[in-house]
């Protein structure tokens, strides 16, 4: 294991590998990524992997626009033979209450003003896109044809391979046991396999970012929430668009392989980093989905699992340097949409660390907003 | 050791072998049967009474090595496949081992195979010298191996076609798995995530042991040191509609 590095990234999920990739692409050298288990072992490998540009806050619209365009061209940019399975079958946000309908209309207007070609659909138009849908509860839906979902494992691997081709080094099965400081600045990282001297550490540990920050004595305004998900047996393609509804509390997609993947937010989930599966989720999810897509009732569930949403106070990520500890950077608090924002995360963090001009409005995502009380509001988070 | 892995200790193996003088005198049966169980076909099989009569059916077999001529009748009779015949002086450089073999297809005379150790790892190549297929008994395969391997080689494996499907739910072949292992995916969980093996209807019941064998061979680690990956609920697949109906009642 190497003894020194210019930059050490902690976390081998999608955020860590994208940050590594963009750092090297923008001229950084000697960048090392440390992962406790293996790439995608945390939230990245557990997520629903939906990609959408339909947001209620301009910042998220910009970030996701950039990310979606990146994913569209990722095949060429990252040169990954297998492909990342980006399926742009559209994304439907179903509205079932008057309030939700109102908010959805506002969001679509905002998105259109930013160049995102989302549109409102009547229940009949929605059913044309998803014939399986029972529209009795649905007032309308917002639809964007360029949204979709992709394969988180291959996407992470594609970034990791590109990172390594540019000279980056990845150490898996390498737990970080300490973060060392000298005169109030970062001086290195202790791992179970040895010490790496460095002046820059990037905390991209997702659900475990609070624990990583605590190694340096830093308390973050973040907490991790358990979210459950299930997958069914693979069947013939019958659902091209990804479905989501805040009021009905679910998202659902059919991946190219044929399996349906679905999740919802459950009450009373532990926030102690437990990721064991919850049977109450299974019942609630089955009930929700068979109401909306009744013909799925004969589809067999194969497996359920859970992962961590790393929640921030305003459900927007934090991209910043820890004010009291120069050299210690944070990219966390994604609140359940770190995967789809990953290219924006990678670029923004690289610009932040290397002192480059912002391509995206990442300056709004610093710690300042918590002190000033200028929280960023987002209506569209499940 | 034997109880956990099915592999006897070196002491047990040594105790099963005749002394060097007897080994050099010609073919002889070696009975690696260490657990008292109610089983005695071997004693009944030997026309020369080289396997001493049992006082109790639970006895483990005891041999009079001088009476044995290495005919191999006991090899095809032992239901536990615990008997082999060793001819250490079969040629200048090779010993002959007669092995019981119950898989299909049977190897062909003259074919070159993998010789496997007790854990199933290929450790050498072996030439098939003879194939005996008795009616209603276990076939006996004679193979020639290096003399120093007589205490190690206990099975054979016909070299696989790398296009064999390991994961039947997602059509993943041996070649696919070997290629991903070579790319650095060195645990069942990593292979599972990148290939989808173990995520289908069988939930890994069919493929995971085969994948672990590939990992064990590639990483040169015993299977006992590998983990079989995360097992996730639900145990048996269930229809969404059935779960929804149950949720409604509770």
């Amino acid at each position: 294991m190497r003894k020194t590095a210019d930059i050490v990234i902690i976390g081998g999920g999608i955020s860590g590998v994208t940050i590594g990739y963009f750092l090297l692409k923008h001229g950084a050298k000697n960048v090392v990524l440390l992962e406790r288990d293996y790439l995608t072992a945390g939230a990245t490998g557990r997520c629903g992997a939906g990609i959408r540009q339909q947001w209620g806050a301009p910042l998220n619209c910009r970030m996701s626009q950039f990310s979606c365009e990146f994913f569209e061209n990722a095949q060429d940019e990252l040169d990954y033979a297998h492909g990342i399975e980006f399926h742009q079958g559209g994304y439907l946000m179903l509205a079932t209450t008057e309030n939700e309908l109102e908010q959805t209309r506002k969001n679509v207007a905002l998105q259109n003003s930013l160049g995102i070609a989302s549109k409102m659909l009547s229940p009949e138009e929605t059913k044309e896109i998803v014939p399986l849908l029972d529209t009795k509860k649905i007032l309308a839906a917002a639809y964007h044809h360029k949204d979709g979902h992709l394969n988180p494992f291959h996407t992470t691997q594609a970034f990791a391979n590109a990172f390594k081709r540019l000279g980056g080094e990845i150490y898996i099965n390498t737990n970080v046991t300490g973060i060392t400081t000298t005169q109030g600045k970062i001086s290195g990282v202790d791992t179970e396999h040895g010490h790496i001297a460095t002046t820059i550490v990037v905390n991209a540990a997702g659900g475990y970012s609070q624990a990583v920050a605590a190694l340096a004595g830093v308390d973050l305004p973040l907490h991790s929430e358990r979210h459950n998900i299930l997958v069914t047996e693979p069947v013939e393609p019958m659902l091209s668009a990804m479905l989501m509804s805040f009021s009905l509390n679910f998202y659902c997609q059919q991946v190219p392989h044929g399996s349906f993947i679905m999740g919802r937010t459950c009450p009373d989930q532990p926030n102690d980093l437990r990721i064991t599966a919850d049977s109450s989720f299974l019942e609630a999810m089955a009930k929700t989905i068979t109401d909306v897509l009744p013909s799925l009732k004969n589809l067999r569930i194969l497996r359920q699992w859970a992962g961590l949403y790393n929640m921030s106070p305003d459900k927007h990520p934090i991209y910043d340097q820890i004010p009291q500890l120069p050299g210690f950077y944070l990219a966390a608090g994604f609140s359940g949409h770190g995967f789809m924002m990953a290219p924006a995360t990678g670029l923004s963090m690289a610009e932040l660390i290397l002192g480059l001009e912002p391509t995206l409005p990442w300056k709004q995502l610093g710690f300042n907003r918590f002190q000033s009380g200028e929280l960023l509001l987002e209506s569209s988070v499940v | 050791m034997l109880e956990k892995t099915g592999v006897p200790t070196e002491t047990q193996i040594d105790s099963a072998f005749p002394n060097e003088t007897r080994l050099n005198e010609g073919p002889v049966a070696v009975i690696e049967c260490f657990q008292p169980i109610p089983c005695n076909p071997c004693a009944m099989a030997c026309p020369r009474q080289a396997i001493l009569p049992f006082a109790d059916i639970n006895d483990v077999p005891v041999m009079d090595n001088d009476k044995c001529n290495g005919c191999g009748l006991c090899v095809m009779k032992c239901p536990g496949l615990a008997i082999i015949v060793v001819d250490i002086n079969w040629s200048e450089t090779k010993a002959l081992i007669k092995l019981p073999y119950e898989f299909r297809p049977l190897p062909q005379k003259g074919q070159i195979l993998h010789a496997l150790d007790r854990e199933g790892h290929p450790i050498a190549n072996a030439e098939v010298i003879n194939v005996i297929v008795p009616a209603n008994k276990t076939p006996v395969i004679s193979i020639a191996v290096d003399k120093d391997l007589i205490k190690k080689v206990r099975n054979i494996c016909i070299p696989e076609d790398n296009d064999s499907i390991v994961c039947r739910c997602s059509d993943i072949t041996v070649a696919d798995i070997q290629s991903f292992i070579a790319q650095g995916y060195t645990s069942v969980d990593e292979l599972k995530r990148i290939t989808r093996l173990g995520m289908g209807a069988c939930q890994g019941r069919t493929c995971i042991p085969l994948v672990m064998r590939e990992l064990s061979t590639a990483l040169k680690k015993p299977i006992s040191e590998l983990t079989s990956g995360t097992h996730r609920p639900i145990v048996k697949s269930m229809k969404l509609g059935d779960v929804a109906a149950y949720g409604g009642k509770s």
Side-chain angles (χ1 to χ4, degrees):
Chain A
M1 173 165 216
R2 58 188 296 156
K3 300 267 186 287
T4 63
D6 289 357
I7 302 172
V8 172
I9 300 164
I10 301 172
I14 190 69
S15 298
V17 295
T18 52
I19 294 167
Y21 170 73
F22 280 99
L23 277 169
L24 293 177
K25 204 180 149 190
H26 287 92
K29 298 265 186 301
N30 302 317
V31 182
V32 170
L33 186 147
L34 306 176
E35 162 56 41
R36 182 178 66 178
D37 295 318
Y38 49 88
L39 298 181
T40 73
T44 297
R46 299 162 185 280
C47 75
I51 305 296
R52 63 179 157 109
Q53 298 166 64
Q54 300 180 70
W55 292 93
L59 179 73
N60 276 333
C61 289
R62 291 281 307 279
M63 293 291 194
S64 60
Q65 254 175 311
F66 172 82
S67 296
C68 192
E69 276 166 30
F70 186 94
F71 286 132
E72 283 176 355
N73 301 313
Q75 193 63 28
D76 294 335
E77 165 130 14
L78 302 177
D79 190 18
Y80 184 68
H82 181 280
I84 60 172
E85 297 179 14
F86 189 19
H87 173 77
Q88 288 177 289
Y91 208 127
L92 276 164
M93 320 271 286
L94 309 176
T96 66
T97 66
E98 286 299 335
N99 281 347
E100 193 176 24
L101 180 59
E102 190 52 41
Q103 185 63 50
T104 307
R105 283 200 181 111
K106 276 187 199 159
N107 291 355
V108 167
L110 169 75
Q111 291 151 14
N112 291 169
S113 76
L114 295 169
I116 298 165
S118 54
K119 58 181 177 186
M120 293 301 294
L121 299 182
S122 69
E124 294 71 33
E125 289 167 322
T126 309
K127 198 164 170 75
E128 271 173 40
I129 295 173
V130 184
L132 301 177
L133 191 68
D134 183 338
T135 51
K136 68 176 181 289
K137 287 187 186 166
I138 292 158
L139 301 177
Y143 179 67
H144 185 227
H145 65 288
K146 282 185 132 181
D147 293 346
H149 48 79
L150 44 69
N151 182 314
F153 310 116
H154 284 290
T155 307
T156 306
Q157 196 62 48
F159 275 105
N161 290 1
F163 171 66
K164 286 193 272 192
R165 274 200 303 274
L166 292 172
E169 287 180 30
I170 297 179
Y171 295 97
I172 60 167
N173 297 315
T174 302
N175 193 22
V176 171
T177 53
I179 293 171
T180 57
T181 58
T182 308
Q183 294 169 345
K185 290 179 182 167
I186 289 287
S187 65
V189 173
D190 288 320
T191 80
E192 57 183 321
H193 302 310
H195 180 81
I196 303 177
T198 184
T199 54
I200 298 177
V201 169
V202 185
N203 178 356
Y208 307 95
S209 48
Q210 306 90 285
V212 167
L215 294 173
V218 173
D219 192 20
L220 296 178
L222 302 171
H223 71 279
S224 295
E225 241 176 49
R226 181 176 76 177
H227 281 247
N228 293 271
I229 186 164
L230 70 78
V231 65
T232 71
E233 62 189 331
V235 286
E236 291 295 309
M238 57 184 82
L239 177 67
S240 182
M242 184 142 174
L243 288 183
M244 178 175 192
S245 168
F246 300 110
S247 52
L248 298 177
N249 183 9
F250 83 99
Y251 63 84
C252 175
Q253 53 164 297
Q254 186 181 21
V255 298
H257 175 68
S259 295
F260 280 73
I261 289 180
M262 56 192 83
R264 77 197 297 279
T265 300
C266 287
D268 307 323
Q269 292 293 301
N271 53 11
D272 57 2
L273 305 185
R274 236 183 304 166
I275 46 172
T276 44
D278 175 5
S279 63
S280 71
F281 157 75
L282 204 60
E283 292 172 19
M285 187 73 241
K287 207 160 165 36
T288 306
I289 205 71
T290 50
D291 276 350
V292 185
L293 303 172
S295 54
L296 295 196
K297 67 177 188 295
N298 289 320
L299 196 58
R300 288 178 185 276
I301 308 163
L302 288 186
R303 211 165 57 247
Q304 69 168 120
W305 67 93
L308 298 173
Y309 276 25
N310 191 230
M311 304 300 293
S312 78
D314 59 3
K315 297 180 179 169
H316 277 72
I318 304 172
Y319 301 151
D320 205 352
Q321 183 165 209
I322 306 287
Q324 67 271 34
L325 187 51
F328 195 26
Y329 289 85
L330 178 70
F334 292 101
S335 308
H337 45 276
F339 184 79
M340 66 175 90
M341 299 285 189
T345 302
L347 175 65
S348 301
M349 289 303 292
E351 289 173 347
L352 167 67
I353 294 165
L354 301 175
L356 306 174
E357 275 306 303
T359 307
L360 295 164
W362 50 259
K363 289 198 168 166
Q364 297 174 42
L365 292 170
F367 281 105
N368 278 346
R369 68 186 200 259
F370 303 119
Q371 269 92 50
S372 67
E374 287 167 25
L375 294 184
L376 301 153
L377 296 175
E378 171 56 65
S379 57
S380 304
V381 178
V382 78
Chain B
M1 184 75 177
L2 184 67
E3 288 76 7
K4 281 196 172 164
T5 62
V7 177
T9 62
E10 273 185 40
T11 320
Q12 285 174 317
I13 294 163
D14 287 342
S15 75
F17 265 76
N19 62 34
E20 210 162 312
T21 321
R22 174 63 192 86
L23 268 181
N24 279 317
E25 280 169 12
V28 63
V30 177
I31 308 185
E32 296 184 345
C33 177
F34 306 107
Q35 290 177 308
I37 53 166
C39 179
N40 66 356
C42 59
M44 319 288 264
C46 183
R48 306 163 70 95
Q49 282 84 48
I51 299 170
L52 303 181
F54 283 22
D56 183 295
I57 194 171
N58 290 296
D59 286 351
V60 291
V62 178
M63 287 212 22
D64 180 345
N65 290 320
D66 293 332
K67 284 190 187 162
C68 177
N69 69 348
C71 71
L73 285 174
C74 54
V75 176
M76 57 185 75
K77 280 272 184 77
C78 172
L81 313 188
I83 311 179
I84 60 167
V85 168
V86 174
D87 182 1
I88 188 98
N89 290 325
W90 180 72
S91 82
E92 277 298 301
T93 55
K94 301 282 181 184
L96 188 84
I97 302 180
K98 295 181 186 176
L99 294 165
Y101 188 76
E102 291 188 336
F103 293 112
R104 291 293 185 278
L106 287 166
Q108 304 290 315
K109 216 164 148 172
Q111 198 174 355
I112 306 293
L113 309 166
H114 297 310
L116 308 181
D117 67 9
R118 290 179 171 79
E119 286 196 316
H121 296 300
I123 51 171
N125 284 334
E127 185 189 345
V128 179
I129 305 303
N130 200 10
V131 178
I132 300 170
V133 189
N136 301 323
K137 296 190 195 79
T138 300
V140 177
I141 315 297
S142 302
I143 55 167
V145 294
D146 289 341
K147 290 179 196 254
D148 58 344
L149 295 178
I150 56 165
K151 289 189 175 175
K152 295 206 167 74
V153 170
R154 286 301 174 270
N155 210 337
I156 52 168
C157 165
I158 299 173
E160 275 174 63
D161 171 1
N162 271 5
D163 293 334
S164 297
I165 303 252
V166 171
C167 166
R168 293 187 295 191
C169 302
S170 294
D171 293 351
I172 314 285
T173 65
V174 177
D176 293 333
I177 290 167
Q178 288 170 345
S179 141
F180 279 110
I181 295 174
Q183 288 173 49
Y185 300 89
T186 53
S187 67
V188 170
D189 270 335
E190 287 169 82
L191 288 168
K192 184 172 119 180
R193 290 181 178 211
I194 203 76
T195 66
R196 274 198 186 89
L197 67 85
M199 291 184 172
C202 91
Q203 285 294 288
R205 290 175 185 88
T206 310
C207 55
I208 299 296
L210 299 170
V211 173
M212 290 178 76
R213 186 190 65 180
E214 289 306 318
L215 277 170
S216 167
T217 307
L219 306 177
K220 299 191 169 49
K221 265 190 189 176
I223 285 178
S224 55
E225 285 179 23
L226 302 173
T227 51
S228 61
T230 312
H231 297 275
R232 299 206 185 279
I234 48 188
V235 173
K236 184 176 179 297
S237 65
M238 286 189 288
K239 288 181 181 172
L240 275 164
D242 293 344
V243 177
Y246 175 78
K249 280 176 215 154
S250 69

